[in-house]
Amino acid sequence: MDYKDQYESWVTNGYFDEETREALIAIKNDEEEIKDRFYRNLEFGTAGLRGKVGAGTNRMNKYIIRQATQGLADFIVEKGQDYMNRGVAIAYDVRHYSKEFAKEAALVLAGNGIKAYLFEDIRPTPELSYAVRRLKTAGGIVVTASHNPREYNGYKVYWEEGAQILSEIAAVVEKNIESIKDFTKIKILDEQMALDQGLLKILGREIDDEYVEKVKGLSLRDDINKGIKLVYTPLNGTGNIPVRRVLHERGFQNVWVVPEQEMPDPDFTTVGYPNPEDTKAFAYAEKLGKSLGAEMIFATDPDCDRVACMIQGKEGEYTALNGNQTGAVLIEYILSSLKEQGRLTGNDYIVKSIVTGDLGKAIAASYGVKTFETLTGFKNICGKVNEMEKRSDQSFIFGYEESIGYVAGTFVRDKDGVIASMLLCEAAAYYSSLGKSLLDVLEGLYEKHGFYMEKLISLTLEGIEGQKRIGRMMKEYRKSFPKKIGDMGLIQYIDYAEGISVDVINQKETTGNIPVSDVLRYFFKDGSWYAVRPSGTEPKIKIYIYTKGATKREAQEKIVIFEKTIMDLLHGVV
């Protein structure tokens, strides 16, 4: 069935409600819009679903939610009655239709005889991971589009260990979804019947209280400056209550919240693109911070699984720390504290993604702590923790990636903006008591371990043609990557899609133990490297450039050379 037939089916089929049909009739003369909405089914990958809200097969709507949940339900039913009884925990964020989508998912699960635990109101994504582990459910669902623009929503699936599903489960669920051609065959139960039959349970304060206590239990020090001035913005998302509660109960006395961004707002009116990686998201926080003389301002994204910060400099201006820098500072704070307390065991490890910088790895090595690398995404980072937990006596300390995601402890198996916010504020308060800012700490790490600089470049290419061009860029780069950049010669490259690692110097190719993903990495003799990959959740191709130099200036000059060489090649692909 082509996109025109799909469109006609949705317009004429009585299963779809009047609001949906009216929205589709309104675009009947817009061929490109019809095509974009129906040229494909919204793809279900290991990141679940993510797309613009609207009517159509390539959009987020209640029918696509029902279809995806039926695919998950079929998988759980195949696992047997025990998994059905254990059920699925469901959380949702502040976005348009998040609450409605979460309830649709719960009622489809109930319609299949699977118990659903639905949070009573918005909750941070990491609390869902905690709930899965605490309640010992078969899995979990979070309705969120994280930091995407307001037009988007999403649907992420977790499995029994509390981490997002990996490819082997996602592939089965996706196959189940694709087999559902008739929406009327989806099983769904009335809400009151689901409650009466015990197939729908509402979660409230009890899980919140336990989760907050667990977060506070990760605290490392009390000899800190609890009077440090901090400004926080939840960017109108789910972090407002849990982050403030944790900091209050930890005794922080001077935490101000940006009033315009305190309460839930699905339109993100004051920020537009609610991504704290983008310093423009800090405009309101920076203004408030300057008026108060705050030493640090920090922000969590709408589903509160990521956190970013800006630090007050000597002139009163704020400097943003990127994800690699924040990760490095947290690793130094955590490991130095554990060492001082005699709590490092010699079998400790951290986990980072393959596109995350190497400064954190160098810091960990200086404390005798191992670093493991995984594919991009916390499903892989926490998947590694799950794997290690089953087969070794090594102790997990910290996981992170360059895109401002961090986790500590073992009660959550996803990036956690609540945990990271507490540890970040604690680190800032501890170093403040020593007369240092986090900028001073970072500079000290550079002096000790080398100047690691980085730049992330994202090319956004929307729509069908954009996706095709991204594919052509990856194909062309595989064939025509530069063997030399400036005076730096290539010594190794890894093609994760092809599963090969090539020693350029010795002309030796090896295979095996290379996880499969559409990622290219190129390494140079001086310790610099870069990676190219398409985003798994956004219409972007991403370039990660990492350089190392004896001075900051040297490392930054290398970035300029790398960027020009790489981008000239990519822009040449039309």
Side-chain angles (χ1 to χ4, degrees), residues 224-323:
I224 59 177
N225 173 21
K226 291 184 180 178
I228 186 174
K229 292 182 178 180
L230 303 167
V231 165
Y232 168 56
T233 172
L235 296 179
N236 304 112
T238 62
N240 181 42
I241 291 174
V243 170
R244 293 171 71 179
R245 178 180 172 186
V246 165
L247 294 180
H248 173 73
E249 293 183 14
R250 280 286 292 116
F252 284 89
Q253 300 154 15
N254 297 310
V255 181
W256 287 270
V257 177
V258 176
E260 299 91 341
Q261 296 170 339
E262 177 181 4
M263 303 307 291
D265 175 11
D267 290 316
F268 307 110
T269 310
T270 62
V271 67
Y273 178 41
N275 184 358
E277 274 187 291
D278 186 344
T279 55
K280 290 193 288 291
F282 279 89
Y284 282 76
E286 200 167 353
K287 182 179 178 181
L288 180 59
K290 286 180 178 178
S291 72
L292 296 167
E295 293 178 50
M296 182 173 78
I297 58 179
F298 66 105
T300 52
D301 64 346
D303 68 326
C304 196
D305 62 354
R306 307 190 312 150
V307 64
C309 67
M310 297 182 79
I311 310 301
Q312 185 185 50
K314 300 211 170 19
E315 304 301 319
E317 296 298 315
Y318 289 96
T319 298
L321 299 189
N322 63 36

Side-chain angles (χ1 to χ4, degrees), residues 448-491:
K448 182 177 180 179
H449 300 286
F451 288 87
Y452 291 81
M453 297 289 117
E454 61 270 323
K455 184 169 185 178
L456 168 63
I457 303 165
S458 295
L459 292 179
T460 300
L461 298 166
E462 297 268 10
I464 305 168
E465 292 307 315
Q467 289 300 303
K468 289 179 180 177
R469 189 177 175 204
I470 288 172
R472 291 194 297 271
M473 284 177 166
M474 293 299 296
K475 183 178 180 180
E476 185 62 30
Y477 212 91
R478 279 190 165 84
K479 295 190 299 183
S480 306
F481 56 87
K483 308 300 189 294
K484 193 174 184 182
I485 294 183
D487 60 359
M488 295 167 283
L490 187 69
I491 62 169

Side-chain angles (χ1 to χ4, degrees), residues 428-442:
Y430 170 65
Y431 291 115
S432 174
S433 69
L434 302 179
K436 296 180 181 180
S437 74
L438 295 189
L439 292 176
D440 298 325
V441 175
L442 182 62

